[in-house]
Amino acid sequence: MRVALTRDFVKKIAVTGKQIDYRDTRLKGLVLRVTPSGVKSWYCEYARGKRIWLGRADAVGYSEANDAAQAIMSDFYRGIDPAEARKPPIEVPTLEAFLDGDYATWARANQRAHVQNLARLKTAFKGLLSRKLDAVTALDIERWRGGQVDRGLSHETINRDISSIKACLNRAVDWEVLDRNPLEKVKKARTDDRIKVRYLTEVEENRLRTALDAREERRRSERDSANVWRKSREHELLPDLRDVAFTDHLKPLVLLSINTGARRGELFDLCWENVDIDRRILTVSGATAKSKRTRHIPLNKEATVVLASWRKQTGRREGLLFVNDDGNRFDRVNTSWRRLLKNAAITDFRWHDMRHHFASKLVMGGVDLNTVRELLGHSDYSMTLRYAHLAPEHKLKAVEVLDR
């Protein structure tokens, strides 16, 4: 209802038992609401569905309400959101406080490697930890980039760190801690995204397999020797390693990595419930996959034999495939892996490169890139294309068109 609101009008309004809004005809936005019980309150409605409470009419007179409404409408017409302007200012935390607080909470729930990621951010940007988030500037990052280049770090490593801190500040924007990301204009350095993929040559793979077998035999011989010593002294004998397929976890882990392309963490998280030996399918659950998407990997003969032998050896059909001496999930195999590579005389080769080896052998064997992409769990072709050069016959067929 539109009326000319005055002090006298407010006093004389009759209670009708209904809620009624009286809108002032002289000042757009000023509203007097009368509830069914007779309570009268002032509001300023500055936009459709948006209003601010100014106070009860028995405490705030017409003149005060009119002045307050004029101020609100003035801000609104100047492009200021009155509701936002009335919010108490958010205390912007330092980068360190943000990483230890809200961001750490989010990372624990959303990132599998949150401990490593947080530690990496703190280490890489140690000089900026005391800065408030809105005080971290693009120039700071460019100066930091220059220092990292001087230290000899690769552009790929620097780009990863820049992406990490930009993603961190994007979370701050999403949570309205910041109005905008101060690093949104910082660009990653150009890099060669078609760098040479490290995979094993046929000779290197043979050496790796020979080193694995030699390690197994060495461990069995050591156990035999230990039991001879224990028997001579009437001690309880240790389990005979010649009665089992594998002396420990390393050989099955390596062979599965080579034959499935699964990431190390995915193998560590693999449960027997996700292994179907009869149908020869290994399922990487979305809950443990880097891409957060479930994928199914067909098992070749060697991988099937490895899994069947490992299941028979462990006697388990549920829970994790690989556990440490305490019965918990593995988190690393660095020592035994490095020693294996040394014995095999293989250099410049990481555990993750076995995933590249798997993909490279598929491409060189004529498997199309889309199938390789699906087996690796890549969300798009950009990562899979690094293996394209290993299938030269496709490009050869393309240029042979010129010979027609």
Side-chain angles (χ1 to χ4, degrees), residues 254 333-341 349-351 354:
V254 170
V333 288
N334 295 343
T335 302
S336 54
W337 171 245
R338 285 195 293 265
R339 189 176 296 122
L340 177 67
L341 292 179
F349 192 76
R350 307 163 301 163
W351 185 285
M354 286 192 284

Side-chain angles (χ1 to χ4, degrees), residues 103-104 106-120:
Y103 192 72
W106 174 86
R108 281 194 296 270
N110 293 276
Q111 296 180 342
R112 291 193 55 76
H114 64 274
V115 174
Q116 296 91 326
N117 293 343
L118 289 170
R120 178 64 188 172

Side-chain angles (χ1 to χ4, degrees), residues 86-351:
R86 287 191 163 206
K87 288 182 179 179
I90 297 176
E91 179 65 27
V92 178
T94 63
L95 177 59
E96 183 173 28
F98 186 67
L99 291 176
D100 289 337
D102 293 331
Y103 192 72
T105 301
W106 174 86
R108 281 194 296 270
N110 293 276
Q111 296 180 342
R112 291 193 55 76
H114 64 274
V115 174
Q116 296 91 326
N117 293 343
L118 289 170
R120 178 64 188 172
L121 276 168
K122 287 186 177 181
T123 300
F125 299 101
K126 184 177 180 180
L128 299 175
L129 291 177
S130 61
R131 296 276 194 92
K132 290 193 173 185
L133 296 183
D134 56 356
V136 177
T137 67
L139 182 57
D140 290 328
I141 299 303
E142 294 302 337
R143 287 171 175 165
W144 170 87
R145 191 204 305 262
Q148 301 301 91
V149 170
D150 291 342
R151 286 179 54 205
L153 268 67
S154 68
H155 285 297
E156 288 79 10
T157 299
I158 295 171
N159 284 345
R160 276 199 300 272
D161 289 338
I162 289 177
S163 294
S164 295
I165 193 170
K166 287 180 70 174
C168 171
L169 296 187
N170 279 337
R171 296 281 79 76
V173 175
D174 292 343
W175 302 331
E176 299 183 354
V177 177
L178 294 176
D179 294 329
R180 52 175 289 276
N181 188 335
L183 306 182
E184 60 188 356
K185 292 185 178 180
V186 175
K187 305 297 182 183
K188 293 191 291 186
R190 288 184 178 273
T191 59
D192 182 2
D193 57 0
R194 300 287 179 87
I195 58 177
K196 184 177 180 181
V197 176
R198 177 68 168 103
Y199 61 92
L200 296 172
T201 63
E202 185 176 350
V203 173
E204 285 178 322
E205 182 176 350
N206 288 335
R207 289 209 306 267
L208 180 67
R209 289 176 177 274
T210 300
L212 274 173
D213 292 339
R215 179 180 182 274
E216 293 281 288
E217 179 56 33
R218 183 170 60 255
R219 289 173 59 84
R220 289 189 172 98
S221 297
E222 289 171 352
R223 178 60 58 88
D224 292 342
S225 178
N227 277 336
V228 169
W229 184 90
R230 296 175 74 88
K231 184 177 181 179
S232 66
R233 289 161 178 76
E234 298 183 349
H235 294 324
E236 182 181 356
L237 300 184
L238 299 172
D240 190 347
L241 293 182
R242 297 196 181 276
D243 293 338
V244 293
F246 307 105
T247 62
D248 67 355
H249 58 277
L250 185 64
K251 185 174 181 178
L253 273 171
V254 170
L255 294 180
L256 284 177
S257 185
I258 287 176
N259 287 288
T260 66
R263 299 177 178 90
R264 182 174 58 180
E266 293 171 344
L267 290 176
F268 287 166
D269 288 320
L270 194 61
C271 293
W272 284 113
E273 293 84 349
N274 292 330
V275 177
D276 190 332
I277 294 178
D278 295 331
R279 295 174 59 208
R280 293 171 57 181
I281 294 177
L282 184 152
T283 300
V284 176
S285 169
T288 60
K290 182 179 179 180
S291 65
K292 302 299 182 184
R293 295 180 179 177
T294 296
R295 74 180 189 277
H296 306 283
I297 306 174
L299 298 170
N300 65 353
K301 289 182 180 179
E302 183 174 43
T304 303
V305 171
V306 168
L307 287 169
S309 301
W310 187 246
R311 184 168 70 177
K312 179 180 179 181
Q313 178 173 330
T314 60
R316 295 194 303 271
R317 289 181 174 268
E318 59 182 24
L320 294 170
L321 266 71
F322 302 102
V323 294
N324 58 23
D325 293 338
D326 298 324
N328 299 319
R329 175 188 183 274
F330 267 110
D331 61 355
R332 64 190 64 199
V333 288
N334 295 343
T335 302
S336 54
W337 171 245
R338 285 195 293 265
R339 189 176 296 122
L340 177 67
L341 292 179
K342 182 178 179 180
N343 293 336
I346 295 174
T347 59
D348 189 29
F349 192 76
R350 307 163 301 163
W351 185 285

